[in-house]
Amino acid sequence: MSYNYIVTAQKATAVSHSQTGHFTSKDDLNLLLAKGNRLEVYCVTAEGLKPLVEYSLYGTICAMQLFKVEKETKDWLFVLTSKYHIAIVAYDEEAREIVTKAYGDAKERVGRPTESAPLCIIDPNSKIAALYMYAGILKIVPLKFEQDEKLKAFNIRLVDLYIVNMSFLSGYDKPTLVYSCGSTSGKRCIKSFTVDIQQQDLVRAPLQVDKDDPNSYLMFPVPQPSGGVLSVADYAITWYNGIKQVMTDSAFLNGAQISCYGEVDSKRFLLGDANGYLHMVFLTTEESMEGDVTVVELKLEKLGEVSSPKSITYLDNGVVFIGSMLGDSQLVKLLKDPLLGTEDCYIQVLETFTNLGSIVDMVTVDLDCQDHDSIVTCSGYGRSGSIRIVKSGIGINEVASNELEGIKGVWSLKTGPDSTSDNAIVISFVGQTRILKLTGEELEETEVPGFQDSDQTFQCGNVNHSQIVQITPSSVRLVNQETLALASLWKPTSGKKIGTSAFNSNQVVVAIGCDVHYLEIKEGELKEVSHCILEYEVACIDISPINGKDTSDICVVGLWTDISVRILKLPSLQEQHHQILGGEILPRSACMITAEEISYLLVTLGDGCLLYYNLDPHTYALSNAKRIVLGTKPVILKKFYTSGSAVNVFTCSDRPTIIYSNNKKLLFSSVNMKEVNYMCTLNAEAYPDSFVLATDDSLIIGTVDDIQKLHMRTIPLYETPRRLAYQHSNHVFGVVVVRTDTISDNRSASLSAVNHGICPDEPLLEKDEEALSNDTSSVLVLDENTFEVLFALTLLPCEQGCSIISAKLGNDAQEYFIVGTAIVQMRDKEPKQGRIIVLKYEGGKLQVVSSLVIEGPVYALELLQNSRKLVAVAFSTVFVFNWKNNSLSNDVTHEGCILGLFLRTTGDFILVGDLMRSFMLLLYKEKALENIAFDTEMSPSYMTAIDIIDDETFLGADSQHIFTCQKNTDSACEAAALYMEQPSRICIGDSVNVFRKGSLVMKHSSGSLLQGSPILFGTVMGGIGIVGRIEESTFRKLKAVELSMCGTVKSVGNIDHEVWRSFNSEHRYKPSAGFIDGDLLEKFVDLPKNKMDLIAENAKIKDDQGKEVAMTTDEILKIMEDLSRIH
């Protein structure tokens, strides 16, 4: 049995639907976005879009529409999911949450689902909703119901089986439906009917719109007073009202299909085409003497370029939201005059919303050498195509720097009278201290008379009563902030040197060997209050106040010899708690913090490890010890605050990290710098909200990104990326891209590259020069840091890149890019030939070393890890190639696939992903490929991605699900052993395009509940998820919590969690198994305490004696805290 934990690291970013209306309040204009199974609600303000609420549904949203309800001041939302659940939801202003008004299941026991996406419309009078989900069946849902009632519906049989589009017409008392349908001949026809709710049937509408409309693919209603419909065909846009039609030429669309529309008003409509252009249709109307209004002219104008749109929503004052699935969504403003610097662009982009979708391919690479991976993706399509870099970490943006070596500490100061911002930086060196004064953006050296600049500074900073503290090996000095004169001086009476120290606004603690001295800061005075002698020498001290206090009640000291920390009560310095750290490595830094009402003690060791404990602020006891590796060198902890007074900790080390709290747990985000030795915050007029960072050879001033889990960077390609690979030896990426020449853009990476070449022709290829496609494929080489295009190699006009890997072949020490291609010709339904091209990047050029023509397109390439032989799959054949004398030669082939699309290897095993037949496992032997296992359970299954978990377990995905298969090694029957078992399956509601092994967090964290390396996956909707294996005991605990949460936490839309996560296809239904839904469980920490306790009480597990016992809330929280750190 395979036990797995699956969780989303990055939620879906692609926008499939958008609506605008008064959802949260009658006074609010809202924008509602559907992203996979998530509903996001924004408020439209003068400053932009303000996020209000976000809810996850137990189902992928495939249609939604706002509608007005009688006697209600706010709009309600009708939602249809991909599994045909329907729900009506509204916003409760008092509870500030989305509530379910009605719900239902629109699924049919018998029926053929439509080939296109389901259609959902609501009539203008909000009487009924019409759904078209099954061929020839129109489902009508009356919108009269009681609170929280199950929705009822009835079916109407249609003569037309292929409905392309449908809408309700405005201006009629009875719901009047118009739809565009197709026929077997390929022609389109527009028909209209009135829905008779009483008779549950369609009757001919008073407005006859029956009209043959060849090539029509989009239709939408025109509001009153003109009414009618607009129909969009390949080269014309037509307005019908049943009596009259008006047409305008749309030839300048250049064959690009209109993908969506947005209504501005009754005379203006926005159209978005697949190439990423926004157009506007203007209706010129004329009113007759009888008062009838008709359209007399249509005008179509191109407004400019936007992301390839999936939805268009007009908000207000010329502002439009462009929702995209293939590029970044945008908030744009329509202009009356061309945008400055352009001649024909009437669009100004106000805001861009990052979208990773559609993730076609991705690789995981440790770009920063910080022991956690960055994800580099192929995202988007056409002009919206790009490379995206996703990092789990925090960026430091360098503003200024100065070369300085030997820095031993940095602090910022406020000096002079009435200083409200920092204006000086203190820099400590061995044997001296330097003060740099900030004058605007310039730094110049200055002096502070009260400072001892001939000695190294241990600690320095502003304290109460407008004073400054400086601690050196020989003294503690108190300096007047306004006059900079020495106000008070404390020196050890023994004449010994101070070894370590700590201070806050009111207190100072210094250690001299085993002696600890406690001082209090008064106005103009340093007063020694107490002194104690400890058993061992003090290694580190901290007196950071906790729980929002100005002074600390305790002092933490780390000791040599017994490797421990002691908590001493202030002012008496009496010991309150003694904690042995274990091991032989000394503590080097300590820090107490309170984050989200929880107090912690953090202690770092000399080997780069961090130990952190829960600190009881009353008893001072330490509990829940955890350990994580932050680096390989001693770590210094520096506390700082961000906006909202949230406390964070910066760890200065060879792998700098920021520690912060979220959902009452500590999280660790790496910083994009190789090494930081010391840091301090700086809030100067010229450098607000900045950091001062000291490295081995420089002093850097920089700003910090928002503290969040994932950061994304976009590298526009302006063409479609298909596959990519990383080459370690040259520190470059190889990317296969394709551009369509009919819509080519001079900004395309393959056209704008400074260095480029053309792939040599291959005599063995069969080419018809008159039947070539309009697509041109290229291979790009990108720098790993700047992502600049170093070289672009254009493939043959008939050749499309399908796959790419980077590998060392055979005994060759050279690392090559290996590209698999398909020869695409318009006369062929499927490519008949392909080519494997071996490329060497050297001297700034990509050179063809070898090429080999084979039958069929090369959809996937991999390397046998033991023999370093090349494996390829083309249609039904798996090839293994030898590499000798810079040439590929066929070693062995195996036929048995229907359409092989994916490959993964481990050792001498080859896992083949078949589009129709799921998995096939082959074993390479000398001159032979043996089929040792295949999956019959899932066949046929339209595979979209595969990976290998271990030698016995394999991971797969289809259009909606993720599942595992295992070799049947326990079977006594040799024939039965060939059949794989499918122990685990779950629906994720999105299509996975790629699996990759990797980790978004630091790999050195200990105590993880995951076994082995996690596997990341990227989806069509731009989501990134993680699959990890867990032990059976952990699985049983989490499953108990999951079941308890399903019974306790009510879902939006009253959709059952088990139904949402179940495996469901046209052929079979199976409940989910072997997977824990991490997205559901991670909501546990956000629940009220009483609900947590109730869930824990109902989460029953069996103890060693087989008796059922309830879990505790603390036990569940601890497990969830550990699991949350995997992303």
Side-chain angles (χ1 to χ4, degrees):
M1 182 68 178
S2 176
Y3 302 103
N4 308 278
Y5 182 80
I6 184 169
V7 68
T8 300
Q10 169 61 51
K11 298 173 183 176
T13 53
V15 176
S16 58
H17 302 82
S18 60
Q19 289 276 300
T20 186
H22 302 283
F23 183 68
T24 59
S25 168
K26 65 177 181 178
D27 300 320
D28 289 343
L29 178 62
N30 299 117
L31 175 68
L32 281 70
L33 304 180
K35 298 180 179 180
N37 73 318
R38 208 167 75 258
L39 177 66
E40 295 181 356
V41 182
Y42 295 83
C43 183
V44 181
T45 68
E47 293 76 27
L49 296 178
K50 176 185 176 183
L52 292 180
V53 292
E54 175 186 311
Y55 271 84
S56 296
L57 279 71
Y58 290 162
T60 303
I61 301 171
C62 63
M64 69 176 190
Q65 187 168 343
L66 285 170
F67 66 97
K68 297 188 180 300
V69 181
E70 190 178 355
K71 297 180 181 179
E72 290 286 339
T73 59
K74 297 178 296 185
D75 297 333
W76 290 6
L77 183 69
F78 188 96
V79 178
L80 171 68
T81 73
S82 59
K83 291 189 175 181
Y84 302 150
H85 292 102
I86 54 178
I88 295 174
V89 299
Y91 184 75
D92 187 331
E93 289 186 74
E94 291 185 4
R96 295 187 178 182
E97 63 180 16
I98 294 176
V99 296
T100 303
K101 294 293 185 180
Y103 62 96
D105 189 350
K107 187 164 62 269
E108 294 290 329
R109 294 181 61 186
V110 178
R112 178 169 60 87
T114 57
E115 295 179 4
S116 57
L119 302 177
C120 171
I121 56 174
I122 294 178
D123 85 290
N125 298 320
S126 302
K127 293 181 179 179
I128 61 171
L131 311 176
Y132 184 70
M133 306 176 297
Y134 297 92
I137 299 176
L138 183 68
K139 186 175 288 290
I140 302 297
V141 183
L143 297 180
K144 285 188 176 181
F145 50 85
E146 299 295 330
Q147 175 72 25
D148 206 25
E149 183 185 28
K150 199 165 185 179
L151 289 168
K152 299 176 182 178
F154 60 86
N155 293 338
I156 298 176
R157 291 286 176 179
L158 300 177
V159 176
D160 304 297
L161 299 181
Y162 181 41
I163 306 298
V164 181
N165 216 316
M166 67 179 187
S167 298
F168 279 111
L169 296 175
S170 62
Y172 295 88
D173 294 332
K174 292 184 178 181
T176 301
L177 180 75
V178 58
Y179 64 71
S180 173
C181 57
S183 63
T184 54
S185 62
K187 292 185 178 180
R188 303 283 170 84
C189 180
I190 294 178
K191 298 181 179 181
S192 65
F193 298 91
T194 295
V195 180
D196 191 326
I197 302 174
Q198 298 296 326
Q199 299 298 320
Q200 299 186 359
D201 202 358
L202 297 180
V203 296
R204 302 298 290 177
L207 173 65
Q208 296 300 314
V209 195
D210 289 6
K211 178 72 181 176
D212 286 338
D213 195 2
N215 303 318
S216 170
Y217 58 85
L218 179 64
M219 178 196 65
F220 51 91
V222 177
Q224 295 297 317
S226 54
V229 294
L230 278 171
S231 175
V232 181
D234 288 339
Y235 293 100
I237 297 176
T238 309
W239 174 79
Y240 301 110
N241 72 345
I243 301 172
K244 180 182 179 181
Q245 73 174 47
V246 179
M247 182 181 299
T248 183
D249 182 24
S250 60
F252 74 83
L253 292 176
N254 202 22
Q257 285 210 340
I258 299 298
S259 56
C260 56
Y261 81 97
E263 178 185 315
V264 179
D265 53 36
S266 61
K267 295 183 179 180
R268 295 180 297 168
F269 298 88
L270 294 167
L271 304 178
D273 68 34
N275 291 340
Y277 287 106
L278 191 66
H279 312 265
M280 182 173 281
V281 179
F282 298 89
L283 276 62
T284 303
T285 60
E286 184 180 82
E287 185 175 355
S288 66
M289 295 181 64
E290 291 79 14
D292 296 330
V293 178
T294 59
V295 176
V296 295
E297 184 184 11
L298 295 181
K299 187 179 180 182
L300 182 64
E301 289 190 4
K302 181 186 291 186
L303 300 181
E305 183 182 343
V306 294
S307 293
S308 181
K310 183 67 170 60
S311 68
I312 299 174
T313 303
Y314 182 82
L315 300 177
D316 198 8
N317 295 326
V319 177
V320 181
F321 179 80
I322 307 294
S324 180
M325 290 187 66
L326 301 175
D328 292 340
S329 295
Q330 297 170 320
L331 195 66
V332 302
K333 185 173 180 63
L334 306 181
L335 306 176
K336 293 181 180 179
D337 301 312
L339 186 66
L340 188 65
T342 67
E343 296 181 356
D344 55 358
C345 180
Y346 296 84
I347 295 172
Q348 178 186 0
V349 178
L350 302 177
E351 191 173 357
T352 298
F353 304 88
T354 301
N355 172 29
L356 295 179
S358 158
I359 299 176
V360 181
D361 194 14
M362 70 183 192
V363 294
T364 55
V365 184
D366 186 4
L367 292 175
D368 299 324
C369 300
Q370 292 183 332
D371 286 316
H372 70 90
D373 295 318
S374 298
I375 298 176
V376 183
T377 73
C378 290
S379 297
Y381 173 82
R383 286 191 178 92
S384 299
S386 63
I387 296 295
R388 307 287 176 126
I389 302 96
V390 183
K391 292 183 180 182
S392 175
I394 297 169
I396 300 291
N397 307 303
E398 184 177 316
V399 178
S401 65
N402 193 5
E403 292 185 5
L404 280 175
E405 295 184 354
I407 297 175
K408 295 301 179 182
V410 290
W411 300 269
S412 60
L413 287 181
K414 299 178 181 67
T415 62
D418 303 322
S419 295
T420 58
S421 58
D422 299 327
N423 56 14
I425 299 174
V426 177
I427 308 174
S428 175
F429 300 89
V430 175
Q432 66 169 316
T433 297
R434 296 165 63 181
I435 299 99
L436 302 180
K437 184 179 180 180
L438 279 163
T439 306
E441 296 183 357
E442 298 297 322
L443 290 171
E444 57 183 20
E445 194 162 350
T446 187
E447 293 183 356
V448 174
F451 268 31
Q452 184 176 350
D453 55 12
S454 60
D455 211 345
Q456 178 180 343
T457 297
F458 286 162
Q459 299 284 349
C460 186
N462 293 93
V463 294
N464 275 347
H465 311 297
S466 298
Q467 299 175 119
I468 300 170
V469 158
Q470 182 197 22
I471 305 175
T472 69
S474 60
S475 65
V476 181
R477 308 174 75 87
L478 190 63
V479 177
N480 186 292
Q481 177 181 318
E482 297 181 3
T483 65
L484 302 183
L486 183 64
S488 182
L489 177 68
W490 182 91
K491 288 187 176 183
T493 55
S494 59
K496 295 181 180 179
K497 299 293 186 182
I498 296 173
T500 184
S501 60
F503 79 98
N504 58 45
S505 296
N506 297 287
Q507 301 161 294
V508 177
V509 176
V510 297
I512 306 165
C514 300
D515 291 0
V516 177
H517 297 266
Y518 169 60
L519 315 177
E520 289 185 353
I521 301 171
K522 306 295 182 180
E523 186 170 2
E525 180 188 6
L526 286 169
K527 180 181 179 182
E528 182 171 354
V529 178
S530 58
H531 162 245
C532 73
I533 301 176
L534 301 177
E535 303 171 61
Y536 308 109
E537 190 173 343
V538 177
C540 59
I541 302 177
D542 182 59
I543 54 167
S544 300
I546 58 176
N547 288 334
K549 297 180 179 179
D550 293 330
T551 59
S552 180
D553 296 329
I554 55 174
C555 167
V556 174
V557 293
L559 300 185
W560 294 57
T561 310
D562 71 343
I563 317 297
S564 69
V565 291
R566 312 286 177 99
I567 296 179
L568 308 179
K569 181 71 174 176
L570 294 178
S572 64
L573 293 177
Q574 292 180 351
E575 184 177 311
Q576 302 295 306
H577 187 80
H578 181 191
Q579 182 73 41
I580 297 296
L581 302 178
E584 299 178 353
I585 309 299
L586 297 177
R588 299 301 295 267
S589 183
C591 183
M592 293 181 287
I593 63 170
T594 299
E596 297 185 300
E597 301 179 355
I598 300 176
S599 296
Y600 302 92
L601 171 62
L602 289 69
V603 182
T604 62
L605 306 181
D607 59 357
C609 288
L610 168 74
L611 299 172
Y612 60 103
Y613 305 83
N614 285 85
L615 171 62
D616 189 313
H618 305 293
T619 66
Y620 312 120
L622 300 178
S623 60
N624 297 329
K626 296 182 178 65
R627 181 188 183 98
I628 186 170
V629 178
L630 294 179
T632 60
K633 297 180 180 179
V635 177
I636 296 175
L637 301 173
K638 296 286 288 187
K639 184 164 66 173
F640 69 97
Y641 294 88
T642 56
S643 58
S645 299
V647 65
N648 307 278
V649 178
F650 193 104
T651 68
C652 304
S653 70
D654 56 339
R655 293 177 188 142
T657 302
I658 289 180
I659 305 172
Y660 63 101
S661 178
N662 186 30
N663 287 329
K664 297 188 181 297
K665 54 182 176 285
L666 292 185
L667 301 177
F668 303 81
S669 287
S670 60
V671 174
N672 65 338
M673 295 188 69
K674 299 291 184 183
E675 187 168 3
V676 174
N677 297 329
Y678 305 94
M679 70 80 63
C680 71
T681 56
L682 177 68
N683 191 20
E685 291 182 1
Y687 303 106
D689 300 322
S690 301
F691 283 176
V692 180
L693 307 165
T695 65
D696 288 339
D697 54 10
S698 61
L699 184 75
I700 298 169
I701 299 176
T703 59
V704 62
D705 291 339
D706 291 338
I707 293 179
Q708 60 189 50
K709 285 192 175 182
L710 295 181
H711 291 265
M712 303 172 202
R713 176 184 172 194
T714 302
I715 310 297
L717 296 178
Y718 302 104
E719 56 188 319
T720 305
R722 283 189 170 172
R723 295 288 183 267
L724 82 162
Y726 178 70
Q727 192 165 96
H728 290 270
S729 58
N730 286 308
H731 302 288
V732 295
F733 290 91
V735 185
V736 174
V737 297
V738 61
R739 68 176 188 272
T740 302
D741 291 333
T742 56
I743 57 169
S744 63
D745 193 316
N746 291 332
R747 297 171 296 177
S748 297
S750 56
L751 293 177
S752 60
V754 176
N755 302 310
H756 53 82
I758 299 176
C759 193
D761 200 356
E762 176 58 63
L764 296 179
L765 291 176
E766 300 175 6
K767 301 185 291 294
D768 184 352
E769 299 297 336
E770 296 181 358
L772 303 179
S773 75
N774 294 321
D775 294 337
T776 300
S777 195
S778 305
V779 180
L780 308 179
V781 179
L782 307 181
D783 180 84
E784 72 165 4
N785 294 314
T786 64
F787 286 86
E788 174 191 0
V789 180
L790 302 177
F791 196 87
L793 180 70
T794 303
L795 302 182
L796 301 179
C798 58
E799 196 167 27
Q800 295 294 307
C802 298
S803 55
I804 184 172
I805 64 170
S806 179
K808 296 178 180 179
L809 298 171
N811 297 321
D812 197 335
Q814 175 71 44
E815 190 171 8
Y816 298 102
F817 281 121
I818 306 156
V819 179
T821 71
I823 307 304
V824 180
Q825 302 186 88
M826 303 299 288
R827 67 186 181 189
D828 298 330
K829 291 184 178 179
E830 297 287 346
K832 294 180 179 179
Q833 286 184 307
R835 186 159 66 136
I836 299 175
I837 309 171
V838 181
L839 304 168
K840 179 172 68 174
Y841 181 70
E842 191 175 64
K845 292 184 178 180
L846 196 60
Q847 304 168 352
V848 177
V849 177
S850 174
S851 73
L852 179 68
V853 176
I854 65 173
E855 292 185 7
V858 186
Y859 287 127
L861 293 165
E862 278 291 338
L863 194 71
L864 279 174
Q865 296 170 5
N866 290 343
S867 57
R868 285 168 56 173
K869 295 187 177 185
L870 184 66
V871 184
V873 63
F875 277 143
S876 61
T877 307
V878 177
F879 300 84
V880 177
F881 296 100
N882 292 317
W883 176 253
K884 191 175 182 181
N885 299 326
N886 286 348
S887 178
L888 290 171
S889 60
N890 191 14
D891 181 26
V892 63
T893 61
H894 182 279
E895 295 190 5
C897 306
I898 295 177
L899 181 56
L901 293 180
F902 313 103
L903 288 174
R904 286 289 188 269
T905 60
T906 178
D908 286 327
F909 291 102
I910 303 170
L911 182 68
V912 184
D914 192 318
L915 177 68
M916 300 295 293
R917 295 179 60 184
S918 188
F919 291 122
M920 179 172 66
L921 185 65
L922 306 177
L923 175 62
Y924 174 75
K925 297 181 179 179
E926 195 65 31
K927 297 294 182 182
L929 281 173
E930 179 185 349
N931 187 350
I932 61 171
F934 56 90
D935 175 27
T936 56
E937 177 70 26
M938 292 293 296
S939 180
S941 179
Y942 297 99
M943 299 287 286
T944 59
I946 66 169
D947 211 333
I948 297 174
I949 296 177
D950 56 34
D951 291 344
E952 305 287 331
T953 313
F954 314 103
L955 189 64
D958 64 11
S959 59
Q960 291 284 315
H961 311 92
I962 290 178
F963 57 91
T964 64
C965 284
Q966 285 184 323
K967 289 163 61 177
N968 192 7
T969 53
D970 296 333
S971 175
C973 175
E974 185 175 342
L978 289 173
Y979 301 140
M980 291 185 184
E981 298 175 336
Q982 186 218 106
S984 308
R985 70 197 78 85
I986 191 171
C987 172
I988 65 167
D990 200 352
S991 181
V992 175
N993 278 336
V994 57
F995 289 113
R996 294 290 179 196
K997 287 186 172 66
S999 175
L1000 281 167
V1001 296
M1002 287 180 287
K1003 301 173 185 176
H1004 294 287
S1005 57
S1006 61
S1008 174
L1009 295 175
L1010 296 189
Q1011 295 179 311
S1013 299
I1015 295 177
L1016 303 172
F1017 60 86
T1019 72
V1020 168
M1021 294 295 292
I1024 296 174
I1026 301 172
V1027 177
R1029 300 190 70 181
I1030 55 178
E1031 293 181 350
E1032 182 180 357
S1033 59
T1034 304
F1035 176 86
R1036 296 193 184 282
K1037 290 179 181 179
L1038 294 176
K1039 196 65 180 177
V1041 177
E1042 182 182 293
L1043 293 174
S1044 181
M1045 286 189 69
C1046 292
T1048 306
V1049 181
K1050 200 172 185 180
S1051 67
V1052 174
N1054 284 10
I1055 304 171
D1056 186 75
H1057 179 268
E1058 179 54 42
V1059 175
W1060 155 232
R1061 290 304 189 186
S1062 63
F1063 182 94
N1064 196 4
S1065 71
E1066 297 179 33
H1067 308 285
R1068 58 197 170 272
Y1069 168 89
K1070 286 189 174 183
S1072 63
F1075 278 96
I1076 295 297
D1077 183 359
D1079 292 343
L1080 173 64
L1081 263 62
E1082 288 195 352
K1083 295 177 182 177
F1084 180 83
V1085 297
D1086 299 323
L1087 296 174
K1089 182 66 166 60
N1090 61 333
K1091 279 199 173 183
M1092 285 187 186
D1093 294 339
L1094 181 60
I1095 290 169
E1097 182 182 343
N1098 294 328
K1100 307 285 187 179
I1101 57 173
K1102 291 185 178 180
D1103 59 14
D1104 296 338
Q1105 287 75 36
K1107 183 181 178 181
E1108 283 194 346
V1109 293
M1111 298 180 68
T1112 65
T1113 301
D1114 289 342
E1115 184 182 2
I1116 299 173
L1117 285 172
K1118 185 177 184 301
I1119 294 174
M1120 294 316 305
E1121 183 180 348
D1122 292 338
L1123 287 172
S1124 68
R1125 291 197 179 91
I1126 70 174
H1127 64 91

